[in-house]
Amino acid sequence: MANVLLTEKCVRSCPYCFAKEHMDSSALPQLSWDNLMYIADFLEISGERKISLLGGEPTLHPQFVDFTTYLIERNFHVHVFTSGIMSTERLLESQKYLAHFTTEKLSFTCNLNHPDISTQKETEKINKFLFAFSHLTTLGFNIYQEDFDFEFLIQVINKYNLERHIRIGLAHPIPGEVNKYIPVEGLKKMARKFVSYFDLFERFTISPGFDCGMPMCIFTEKELGRLFKLNKGILKFGCGPAIDIGPDMMVWSCFPLSNIHKRSLYEFNSLQEVNRFYKDLHAKIRNEIGGIYTDCDTCKYRLNEVCMGGCIAHILNHLYNEAPVRIKEIYS
Amino acid sequence: MTDHILVCPFNEKLLDKIKHNAVIINTRDFKNLHHIHREVNKSNTLHAIKIQTETPLAAISFQESWIHLPLIIYSPEFGDYKDFSHQLDLIRKLNIRIFLSSQHDFNFTGLRILSSLNISCGLFFNEEPINWDLLNDLMHYDIYGRTRHAPIEPFHWLASQYEPAGYTDYSSVYFNNPVKYLHINEKEQIALTETDLLHNNYIDEGVNALETIGENKKYIDFLNRRYEIMLQMNECSFCPAFRICLAKFQNLTDKNNTCKIFFSDFMDAADYYFSKRNNTEKNIWQL
């Protein structure tokens, strides 16, 4: 699957935003029709039928609806990552042209922040979006500090009858930059807080699925068992190259790493080639340091790829700060 | 009866006079398409109905009842994709080819959109300057594009008809090749091309003249002189791509940065397409 950035503008300014570095630096603000069609052809040639649209806030792109319907017409499954915050005009337009699709063609992940850090106006807009697109939407939440609250997410799921799933992301460090994230030594504490919601998840039959970069060993065997059951057997502790394509046709693997190993999409003939390139690069880094913990180097679960040893951005961040000469060698 | 396909307006008297011919009807509105289809087929064979509209493509209301009509739409611009997208399923069912003007840059993108959505389409040129880079990109997409897509004219036609040893005239795409098409108006005035008809440049008059058009002096002159420009000392006659361009852009002052580059690339593409067309036999090493 490839993630395509429609625009680099955003309506929010989240303290943890691991995309911030990229948003601030790029010159081209939004994807053109011609680039979209090139990407669609590129993915089709690669045999890939899934595409994620993100940003910034993808719905800010003036052709958001056009692009989405075009891609669906090209037989792609389109997944949109949104804050749900959009103008009334865009919401009405989206409702008119997109709301009739089923989840086989189109789905949304609405990334929510805790109401305490959202304005009243933002919350109202999000509610309108959730009301209109409840049948296509799953919630997403990014954990960026050891203490956090999930209860409001459960209330939102119940209120709008959303899919009973929460996509849980971990905020990651941007190597060489400043953003909010949980340091490696705080992850176990974060896990305790997370586990404290298991009863609630079970009661409301909600599956908490992990996005990338979550290490397995922050949970006990018993907790892993409960997680396994909560997620109906689908449990991932991965950190694979997620391929992001920018509006300027630059490609990189994962937002936090966007400022260190960008390439042009035109350098590759297929998505498989892109994946191979970044997989090799990740392997090179992980040969240097296996994972976020010292034990990761010899951990059988990491070696068997049951767990990838946490987010590679932590490793790069460490190298960036502690061994800048070595990072230059890796990328030379 | 003539071997030519006749291009004419919808006029029942005229159609009655040119019985038993293949006919292309020129019209400007969408109202009478069924009536045209029915009436033409009474005594002639309807080859196609060419609708020249001022309405942007996306604003045209396509009809389910057009399914069996052979249609060509000439529209000045693509319009808003959203308005167009909800009609896609219907358009794909129609016997239709959509042409957009080279006047607007977005039309080049529009044609790529149509092609990628499996709708046969093409570009028509008007008197506005052409964006040669965009034209070249579109040609590359049509000929070299690796994903499934519908033909874009005139590229597809030219590439599929191209013979390296001869001339290929893509005017046929616009019904302006007098070897195959002739234009006739209500007054029964006959011209070689649509432009000639508009400029009162007739070769003959009266439907009876169609029977003996092969003996018409102006027609014979045209056949004899159509490649004459290649014998003159001018830039076109030295251009490597003259065999497919046939000096259609001889009035351009700066050919080196415009048509010459494009048609040279286009000829490479036509050669590539030709070799692809003819190299279907697999050569296996011999024992």
Side-chain angles (χ1 to χ4, degrees):
Chain A
M1 165 129 67
N3 303 318
V4 179
L5 275 80
L6 296 192
T7 174
E8 299 185 347
K9 291 178 196 158
C10 194
V11 283
R12 285 200 298 210
S13 182
C14 307
Y16 56 83
C17 182
F18 41 80
K20 201 175 151 203
E21 167 60 25
H22 185 77
M23 304 295 161
D24 290 347
S25 69
S26 186
L28 254 182
Q30 52 198 27
L31 191 77
S32 68
W33 258 113
D34 287 334
N35 285 347
L36 178 86
M37 283 190 281
Y38 183 91
I39 293 167
D41 287 351
F42 184 87
L43 295 179
E44 191 176 321
I45 287 165
S46 309
E48 179 61 63
R49 302 310 319 186
K50 288 180 182 172
I51 190 165
S52 292
L53 303 182
L54 53 152
E57 170 53 49
T59 61
L60 282 179
H61 193 293
Q63 264 93 44
F64 164 70
V65 170
D66 303 54
F67 286 3
T68 306
T69 49
Y70 171 77
L71 290 168
I72 291 170
E73 202 58 55
R74 288 280 305 263
N75 270 331
F76 285 97
H77 176 273
V78 180
H79 187 81
V80 183
F81 287 87
T82 177
S83 63
I85 301 167
M86 60 185 86
S87 65
T88 309
E89 191 186 14
R90 180 53 43 86
L91 180 66
L92 291 173
E93 185 189 54
S94 301
Q95 256 184 297
K96 183 177 172 188
Y97 294 101
L98 302 177
H100 67 279
F101 287 116
T102 62
T103 48
E104 283 167 6
K105 303 258 183 197
L106 174 67
S107 52
F108 291 87
T109 290
C110 183
N111 278 316
L112 292 190
N113 282 336
H114 193 276
D116 287 354
I117 63 162
S118 302
T119 65
Q120 179 64 29
K121 209 174 169 186
E122 280 176 356
T123 308
E124 280 170 16
K125 283 182 188 285
I126 294 166
N127 289 345
K128 281 181 186 170
F129 168 79
L130 292 173
F131 181 74
F133 286 95
S134 59
H135 59 300
L136 300 175
T137 304
T138 304
L139 292 187
F141 182 76
N142 285 313
I143 302 173
Y144 64 98
Q145 49 196 10
E146 290 161 14
D147 192 27
F148 52 88
D149 174 25
F150 275 154
E151 280 186 32
F152 81 98
L153 293 170
I154 295 166
Q155 283 170 13
V156 172
I157 289 173
N158 288 335
K159 184 176 175 187
Y160 294 102
N161 195 23
L162 306 179
E163 195 190 334
R164 309 199 77 73
H165 178 81
I166 303 170
R167 181 191 169 103
I168 292 160
L170 263 186
H172 302 300
I174 305 167
E177 299 295 328
V178 180
N179 67 317
K180 270 203 166 186
Y181 63 93
I182 304 170
V184 173
E185 53 277 14
L187 287 173
K188 285 190 177 163
K189 196 174 169 197
M190 178 279 295
R192 301 282 65 74
K193 179 73 182 180
F194 180 71
V195 168
S196 73
Y197 285 101
F198 277 11
D199 288 342
L200 214 54
F201 289 145
E202 279 168 354
R203 195 184 326 149
F204 290 101
T205 58
I206 288 167
S207 60
F210 295 141
D211 197 0
C212 55
M214 192 75 81
M216 189 169 77
C217 58
I218 59 174
F219 300 104
T220 64
E221 294 285 315
K222 197 178 164 191
E223 287 161 0
L224 285 171
R226 283 184 80 185
L227 261 177
F228 183 86
K229 284 191 256 181
L230 277 169
N231 283 297
K232 295 168 191 158
I234 302 164
L235 202 49
K236 287 187 288 183
F237 298 95
C239 174
I243 305 303
D244 298 325
I245 304 168
D248 54 357
M249 302 302 265
M250 295 306 283
V251 59
W252 62 91
S253 156
C254 314
F255 265 124
L257 313 182
S258 64
N259 56 344
I260 36 185
H261 54 211
K262 265 188 187 176
R263 286 284 186 277
S264 165
L265 188 66
Y266 301 116
E267 291 176 40
F268 303 96
N269 290 311
S270 67
L271 191 64
Q272 287 80 3
E273 267 186 28
V274 185
N275 271 317
R276 211 174 303 129
F277 174 81
Y278 285 110
K279 219 170 175 181
D280 289 349
L281 199 63
H282 280 207
K284 211 170 162 185
I285 297 161
R286 286 197 187 273
N287 277 343
E288 205 73 23
I289 300 175
I292 60 172
Y293 299 115
T294 320
D295 292 348
C296 289
D297 284 342
T298 52
C299 174
K300 62 179 177 183
Y301 296 112
R302 191 188 73 82
L303 295 171
N304 290 333
E305 297 187 355
V306 178
C307 168
M308 293 302 289
C311 176
I312 201 165
H314 280 283
I315 300 168
L316 277 169
N317 198 39
H318 169 76
L319 286 168
Y320 224 85
N321 297 328
E322 306 296 327
V325 176
R326 190 69 197 102
I327 205 151
K328 273 185 189 163
E329 285 169 2
I330 291 171
Y331 283 101
S332 63
Chain B
M1 188 179 170
T2 169
D3 289 338
H4 285 87
I5 297 172
L6 302 176
V7 186
C8 62
F10 180 66
N11 180 294
E12 287 172 59
K13 270 187 188 168
L14 177 70
L15 287 166
D16 198 44
K17 284 186 179 175
I18 55 170
K19 269 180 187 167
H20 311 304
N21 280 301
V23 173
I24 293 163
I25 298 294
N26 267 327
T27 181
R28 290 199 168 269
D29 66 61
F30 294 92
K31 284 177 194 160
N32 296 322
L33 300 182
H34 279 285
H35 180 63
I36 291 171
H37 181 242
R38 207 171 34 246
E39 289 303 311
V40 172
N41 277 329
K42 275 183 183 169
S43 52
N44 294 286
T45 307
L46 181 67
H47 189 70
I49 306 173
K50 179 180 164 188
I51 307 140
Q52 277 180 295
T53 178
E54 291 306 312
T55 314
L57 176 65
I60 295 170
S61 173
F62 290 87
Q63 306 294 317
E64 190 89 37
S65 61
W66 295 352
I67 278 181
H68 300 296
L69 308 181
L71 303 177
I72 311 145
I73 293 179
Y74 274 54
S75 173
E77 58 180 315
F78 187 84
D80 191 348
Y81 178 80
K82 275 186 296 294
D83 297 333
F84 177 73
S85 63
H86 71 278
Q87 304 199 80
L88 278 167
D89 285 342
L90 170 60
I91 294 168
R92 282 202 205 90
K93 286 185 208 162
L94 302 180
N95 180 7
I96 197 168
R97 190 167 277 126
I98 294 164
F99 280 77
L100 297 175
S101 162
S102 63
Q103 193 178 345
H104 301 291
D105 285 355
F106 187 72
N107 284 349
F108 291 86
T109 304
L111 287 171
R112 226 177 115 185
I113 294 173
L114 291 175
S115 173
S116 70
L117 296 174
N118 216 16
I119 296 166
S120 294
C121 56
L123 189 73
F124 69 91
F125 303 98
N126 47 28
E127 282 164 16
E128 300 292 318
I130 296 165
N131 187 328
W132 292 94
D133 286 337
L134 292 180
L135 186 67
N136 211 339
D137 286 349
L138 191 64
M139 181 274 289
H140 269 78
Y141 175 73
D142 183 53
I143 306 292
Y144 298 111
R146 288 162 65 198
T147 49
R148 189 174 55 99
H149 60 277
I152 305 174
E153 305 301 354
F155 316 118
H156 180 79
W157 187 91
L158 200 147
S160 56
Q161 301 295 317
Y162 174 74
E163 290 293 336
Y167 300 115
T168 315
D169 187 356
Y170 68 81
S171 300
S172 291
V173 169
Y174 307 106
F175 312 133
N176 280 326
N177 182 355
V179 176
K180 195 171 176 189
Y181 304 96
L182 285 173
H183 293 252
I184 183 166
N185 63 17
E186 287 105 333
K187 292 176 188 165
E188 300 177 30
Q189 291 159 322
I190 304 162
L192 295 171
T193 64
E194 189 178 14
T195 316
D196 283 353
L197 197 70
L198 281 171
H199 292 100
N200 305 327
N201 190 10
Y202 312 116
I203 57 164
D204 216 330
E205 209 171 315
V207 288
N208 292 336
L210 289 168
E211 300 279 345
T212 53
I213 206 76
E215 294 156 24
N216 179 291
K217 190 177 176 306
K218 285 180 181 170
Y219 186 73
I220 294 168
D221 277 355
F222 157 77
L223 291 180
N224 291 337
R225 289 183 185 165
R226 59 188 162 147
Y227 305 131
E228 217 168 50
I229 190 164
M230 303 309 162
L231 303 173
Q232 294 162 9
M233 293 291 281
N234 65 34
E235 232 177 312
C236 289
S237 54
F238 291 102
C239 176
F242 72 89
R243 282 183 286 132
I244 56 169
C245 162
L246 301 174
K248 286 190 177 59
F249 297 91
Q250 58 177 307
N251 294 332
L252 281 177
T253 45
D254 177 16
K255 292 191 180 60
N256 281 328
N257 293 313
T258 54
C259 56
K260 200 169 179 177
I261 297 175
F262 169 73
F263 279 102
S264 297
D265 281 356
F266 195 2
M267 208 157 80
D268 287 344
D271 275 324
Y272 160 81
Y273 199 91
F274 181 81
S275 61
K276 214 171 79 171
R277 236 189 318 148
N278 292 287
N279 284 346
T280 46
E281 243 177 73
K282 192 178 171 187
N283 292 320
I284 302 177
W285 64 279
Q286 295 302 299
L287 289 169

